């Protein structure tokens, strides 16, 4: 049997070259579009990447501060682990190992102040893993931000069932209890946090605030002293110590503390307002008026809540935190 070479018919060679050129042109156009459209680029890689790949990409993008693309990467990771439920249009993740995917997407939503999206993701992470400490704390933090203090207390209490040594959960439950006027319970929670870790300036600051509201101004001063010793740049502690000093009729000390708070945080409107009141009480009316004018502005966010970090999936219950 002879092998015969294929001989193209007349005009066929030219047609093949035209098709090749058209294909190359289309590819160039698609690549140009993907270069300007990150979502399209993500979709282009979808068929060849695993859920773990997308998860790692999401973590990297989050660390770079690209929250929008991090959320898209987590979307793709979650989509890779979904399956139809009750009909083709309903999907649900059933792998408990996917809980960090929802948690980290929730953290990205949280950082964008998308409370609804974050709440949904933390709740789904907890459905998949009811012992997910960080998700309980983060969901509780959302509820603190929304003023839902009773619900926040419930979440932090669940976190403490998972890990009774969580400094974050003790501190943040103390905040929620403080908000609803349960000062003795708040002080007890802050004290438990400090029993576990006595090097947390924010917790000393928070306990000092609760003691002040109890009328224990001397005890509050001691806690603010500890907070400042641990972190001399904590403007909130300087301001709060000034409040307690003024309550003890130490106006000069109060003004000095407010001044330091303003030096550390020049836009701290509450410190200007407090210094204005102390100056007026000393009869320094013109200086008081100037500070009052400077104090007009949005209220300062309290530096009091402790935030859990992103979760790379390798640690089961990390309990480190940064300042909110």
């Amino acid at each position: 049997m002879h092998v015969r070479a294929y001989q193209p018919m007349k005009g066929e060679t030219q047609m093949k070259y035209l098709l090749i050129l058209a294909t190359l042109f289309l590819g160039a156009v698609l690549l140009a579009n993907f270069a300007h459209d990150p979502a399209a680029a993500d979709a282009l890689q979808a068929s060849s990447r695993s859920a773990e790949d997308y998860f790692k990409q999401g973590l990297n993008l989050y660390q770079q501060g690209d929250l929008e693309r991090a959320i898209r990467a987590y979307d793709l990771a979650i989509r890779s682990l979904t399956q139809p439920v009750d009909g083709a249009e309903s999907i649900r993740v059933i792998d408990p190992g996917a809980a960090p995917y929802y948690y980290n997407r929730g953290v990205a939503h949280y950082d964008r102040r998308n409370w609804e999206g974050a709440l949904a993701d933390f709740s789904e992470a907890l459905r998949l893993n009811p012992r997910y400490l960080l998700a309980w704390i983060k969901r509780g933090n959302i509820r603190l931000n929304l003023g839902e203090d009773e619900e926040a207390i419930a979440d932090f209490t669940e976190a403490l069932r998972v890990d009774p040594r969580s400094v974050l959960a003790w501190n943040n439950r103390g905040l929620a209890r403080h908000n609803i006027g349960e000062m003795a319970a708040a002080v007890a929670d802050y004290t438990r946090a400090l029993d576990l870790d006595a090097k947390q300036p924010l917790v000393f600051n928070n306990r000092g605030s609760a003691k002040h509201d109890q009328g224990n101004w001397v005890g509050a001063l001691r806690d603010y002293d500890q907070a400042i010793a641990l972190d001399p740049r904590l403007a909130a502690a300087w301001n709060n110590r000034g409040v307690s000093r003024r309550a003890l009729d130490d106006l000069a000390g109060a003004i000095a503390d407010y001044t330091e708070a303003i030096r550390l945080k020049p836009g701290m409107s509450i410190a200007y307002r407090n210094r204005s009141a102390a100056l007026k009480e000393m009869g320094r009316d013109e200086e008081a008026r100037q500070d009052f004018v400077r104090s007009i502005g949005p209220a300062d966010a309290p530096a009091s809540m402790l935030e859990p970090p992103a979760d790379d999936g390798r640690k089961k219950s990390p309990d480190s935190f940064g300042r909110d």
Side-chain angles (χ1 to χ4, degrees), residues 15-30:
M15 182 62 71
K16 286 172 66 179
Y17 281 124
L18 287 173
L19 288 171
I20 291 169
L21 288 172
T23 301
L24 291 172
F25 176 75
L26 179 60
V29 170
L30 288 172

Side-chain angles (χ1 to χ4, degrees), residues 134-146:
L134 299 183
W136 284 115
I137 295 172
K138 206 71 173 177
R139 195 173 77 171
N141 287 0
I142 290 177
R143 288 172 164 163
L144 269 179
N145 281 312
L146 294 175

Side-chain angles (χ1 to χ4, degrees), residues 27-312:
V29 170
L30 288 172
L31 287 173
N33 286 338
F34 288 138
H36 292 88
D37 184 357
D42 289 340
L44 181 67
Q45 302 171 30
S47 61
S48 60
R49 302 182 62 184
S50 68
E52 184 68 17
D53 291 332
Y54 287 122
F55 179 60
K56 290 177 180 177
Q57 182 188 38
L59 288 171
N60 289 334
L61 290 167
Y62 177 82
Q63 294 298 329
Q64 295 166 23
D66 192 343
L67 301 180
E68 184 176 351
R69 293 193 70 201
I71 289 169
R72 281 208 305 273
Y74 295 135
D75 286 344
L76 291 168
I78 290 167
R79 201 174 303 157
S80 299
L81 295 175
T82 57
Q83 68 176 26
V85 175
D86 299 328
E89 295 185 3
S90 176
I91 57 175
R92 198 173 201 191
V93 174
I94 59 171
D95 182 0
Y101 297 10
Y102 282 98
Y103 172 80
N104 283 283
R105 189 174 70 177
V107 170
H109 282 309
Y110 185 101
D111 288 358
R112 298 184 75 186
R113 303 186 73 81
N114 175 7
W115 305 133
E116 183 178 359
L119 191 63
D121 277 346
F122 297 140
S123 295
E124 186 64 12
L126 290 168
R127 180 187 71 81
L128 292 166
N129 179 7
R131 294 189 57 78
Y132 202 151
L133 174 67
L134 299 183
W136 284 115
I137 295 172
K138 206 71 173 177
R139 195 173 77 171
N141 287 0
I142 290 177
R143 288 172 164 163
L144 269 179
N145 281 312
L146 294 175
E148 299 172 356
D149 296 304
E150 297 286 358
E151 293 84 352
I153 289 170
D155 279 351
F156 297 135
T157 300
E158 287 298 328
L160 290 168
R161 288 196 181 101
V162 175
D163 182 3
R165 298 184 61 79
S166 171
V167 173
L168 283 81
W170 285 111
N171 176 79
N172 294 2
R173 192 176 74 172
L175 285 174
R177 285 179 158 173
H178 191 160
N179 288 345
I180 62 175
E182 295 182 355
M183 296 306 162
V187 169
D189 279 355
Y190 297 139
T191 299
R192 186 72 181 101
L194 291 168
D195 287 343
L196 293 165
D197 186 349
K199 294 183 179 180
Q200 300 303 332
L202 286 179
V203 185
F204 275 111
N205 175 72
N206 295 341
R207 191 174 70 174
S209 181
K211 286 181 178 179
H212 178 94
D213 288 347
Q214 286 181 310
N216 180 6
W217 300 322
V218 173
L221 278 178
R222 293 196 190 101
D223 278 348
Y224 296 138
D225 287 344
Q226 287 290 330
I228 290 167
L230 289 166
D231 184 359
R233 297 191 58 78
L234 184 56
W238 287 98
N239 174 77
N240 291 348
R241 191 173 73 174
V243 173
S244 291
R245 280 183 162 171
R246 184 179 170 211
L248 291 166
D249 295 324
D250 179 7
L251 293 178
I255 289 170
D257 280 350
Y258 298 141
T259 300
E260 181 62 13
I262 291 166
R263 187 189 72 80
L264 292 168
K265 191 176 179 182
M268 194 174 190
S269 60
I270 188 64
Y272 279 110
R273 197 170 304 126
N274 289 337
R275 191 173 69 175
S276 173
L279 288 166
K280 186 170 182 61
E281 196 170 340
M282 293 184 75
R284 296 160 64 177
D285 291 348
E286 178 56 26
E287 293 172 85
R289 187 193 65 79
Q290 292 175 9
D291 270 359
F292 182 78
V293 171
R294 295 188 188 104
S295 76
I296 298 173
D300 302 292
S304 53
M305 191 187 301
L306 303 182
E307 293 288 359
D311 180 8
D312 63 9

